[in-house]
Amino acid sequence: MNGMKENVSEESKIGIGLVTPSAPAPALFSNRFERGVKCLEHMGFNVKRGKYVSTKDGVTSASAIKRAEDINNMYADEEVSLVMATIGGDYSAEILPYLDWEIIRANRKGFIGYSDITVLLHAIGIMSQQVVFYGPTLMTEMSEYPVPPQLSKESFLQILDEKTSYEVSPCDSLLAKGNDWALPPRERNTFCPTFHKVIRQGQARGIVLGGCIEALERLRGTKFWPCFKNSIMVIETVDDEFDEKKWRSFVTDYTNMGVFKELSGIVIGQKMWNENSVNSLSTMLLEATSDTKIPILYGLPFGHISPIATIPLFTSAVLDADSMKLEYNKPFKYEYIKR
């Protein structure tokens, strides 16, 4: 895909297809949705809307079959180069049985989103051998008022350009929570300082896998659960506050499953946690990986925060914990080897 510049010609524009795989946020907050569409168009994209992108059927946008139909159609559409989820939610896993893997395999294009979209990213990556992206959705970063956060926008555009490298490193501050989407929009201009930590030093190369740790749980025991051998696990949580009991359960489960023995490295996504909370998680992870001594880093900006970087999945990168960065070479090459 070519780099994007504002005010480019119609012939050079990249097509983005919008789908709503889970929560019906576009139907509930139509003004915010339209602001996000206009933002993408101003950035130089042609935007296509799925048939059910702005509908509502209970707690989802439509039935599982209809939501899957929108994704299948976007992959079949030659004018679409990137499929973007409008929002996450809790119900993306419902559509997995209805995705047309022949169509998706035959039409190689990116899929981007985060949170519950983790489910779809891993399913698409495993079943169709395509690089996907853990990054912004339309209703969150792209619909921010009056414009998207600079890091979120620049990182998103960088994954589409033709440069030979791409790097994710910590940001100095995060945006505080905004106001309710049902209220008139208000600019978020309060920033909170961040804390980063090298939990264990070192460098490692591996296939980048992961996303929202709560969403990953929905894939356990299915054919969509990834093989973590020689991978760099990038994980983050929906929780604003550090939940020690939850993280202890995750670390225990992954230890008993043998996941940590397979990893090349671990990156924990940035949160507004204090140093004591990060130290508690550090102790758990250091103990769980005491045999392998893999590099572990806390504090890269992705997932349920703002601003966020875009994280390519199912392609290799180098985790340099000492320098606090994750480095990719371009073009992103699918390198995942299924168990």
Side-chain angles (χ1 to χ4, degrees):
M1 291 180 282
N2 296 320
M4 291 305 307
K5 295 181 180 179
E6 297 178 5
N7 301 318
V8 296
S9 65
E10 289 293 327
E11 293 78 10
S12 63
K13 287 184 177 182
I14 291 175
I16 292 184
L18 298 178
V19 295
T20 303
S22 191
L28 297 173
F29 309 104
S30 58
N31 289 339
R32 187 176 179 92
F33 171 75
E34 294 298 338
R35 184 165 65 247
V37 172
K38 290 179 181 178
C39 171
L40 289 179
E41 291 174 341
H42 182 69
M43 289 164 65
F45 296 100
N46 275 325
V47 178
K48 286 206 165 187
R49 309 179 189 212
K51 183 177 180 180
Y52 304 103
V53 71
S54 299
T55 60
K56 183 179 183 299
D57 184 2
V59 295
T60 62
S61 59
S63 68
I65 293 176
K66 290 178 179 178
R67 283 177 277 149
E69 178 185 323
D70 264 2
I71 294 176
N72 295 334
N73 288 341
M74 288 302 178
Y75 270 90
D77 191 329
E78 294 182 355
E79 296 181 352
V80 172
S81 298
L82 178 71
V83 183
M84 174 180 281
T86 61
I87 195 71
D90 294 290
Y91 306 103
S92 290
E94 294 177 346
I95 72 178
L96 294 178
Y98 307 108
L99 292 176
D100 190 324
W101 295 116
E102 289 189 10
I103 289 177
I104 294 174
R105 288 190 194 102
N107 297 277
R108 307 184 66 80
K109 56 190 71 178
F111 196 108
I112 188 167
Y114 73 98
S115 191
D116 184 49
I117 307 304
T118 299
V119 170
L120 296 177
L121 298 180
H122 284 80
I124 291 169
I126 290 171
M127 298 297 291
S128 67
Q129 299 186 348
Q130 297 182 37
V131 176
V132 291
F133 304 98
Y134 195 74
T137 62
L138 182 87
M139 295 291 290
T140 53
E141 300 302 289
M142 296 304 167
S143 293
E144 274 299 326
Y145 178 85
V147 294
Q150 184 175 354
L151 171 63
S152 303
K153 176 182 175 180
E154 290 181 353
S155 179
F156 170 65
L157 292 176
Q158 284 171 16
I159 67 166
L160 304 178
D161 67 27
E162 296 175 343
K163 293 180 180 178
T164 58
S165 62
Y166 174 69
E167 178 183 302
V168 180
S169 56
C171 58
D172 294 330
S173 59
L174 299 177
L175 284 167
K177 278 192 170 294
N179 63 333
D180 191 306
W181 288 357
L183 299 175
R186 184 178 62 192
E187 184 175 1
R188 297 164 67 185
N189 52 20
T190 301
F191 291 86
C192 305
T194 56
F195 172 75
H196 321 109
K197 181 173 182 176
V198 178
I199 298 175
R200 183 185 287 122
Q201 295 180 323
Q203 293 185 344
R205 176 177 291 275
I207 310 305
V208 183
L209 300 171
C212 175
I213 197 166
E214 290 89 353
L216 272 176
E217 291 293 289
R218 294 177 182 146
L219 298 177
R220 284 169 58 172
T222 73
K223 62 184 178 181
F224 309 113
W225 176 256
C227 172
F228 285 101
K229 187 174 181 180
N230 300 324
S231 74
I232 296 171
M233 175 186 278
V234 294
I235 50 175
E236 57 97 18
T237 176
V238 300
D239 297 325
D240 293 329
E241 301 296 326
F242 177 65
D243 188 334
E244 184 171 0
K245 290 177 64 177
K246 179 185 284 189
W247 277 98
R248 186 166 181 171
S249 296
F250 287 142
V251 172
T252 299
D253 289 349
Y254 285 9
T255 299
N256 291 335
M257 294 165 62
V259 171
F260 287 127
K261 290 183 178 180
E262 298 182 319
L263 297 178
S264 297
I266 300 173
V267 179
I268 307 297
Q270 179 73 62
K271 304 297 288 190
M272 293 186 192
W273 296 341
N274 59 36
E275 187 172 355
N276 288 335
S277 296
V278 176
N279 287 341
S280 295
L281 179 57
S282 299
T283 299
M284 297 180 208
L285 293 173
L286 288 172
E287 181 178 348
T289 60
S290 59
D291 292 338
T292 57
K293 306 296 184 183
I294 58 175
I296 306 175
L297 175 63
Y298 165 78
L300 293 190
F302 59 90
H304 293 81
I305 56 171
S306 185
I308 60 173
T310 298
I311 307 292
L313 303 179
F314 291 91
T315 188
S316 67
V318 173
L319 170 60
D320 185 341
D322 301 355
S323 299
M324 291 191 171
K325 60 185 179 181
L326 189 64
E327 299 176 285
Y328 294 83
N329 288 324
K330 290 186 178 179
F332 301 121
K333 180 182 177 183
Y334 186 89
E335 298 184 51
Y336 176 77
I337 300 175
K338 191 174 180 179
R339 192 190 307 273

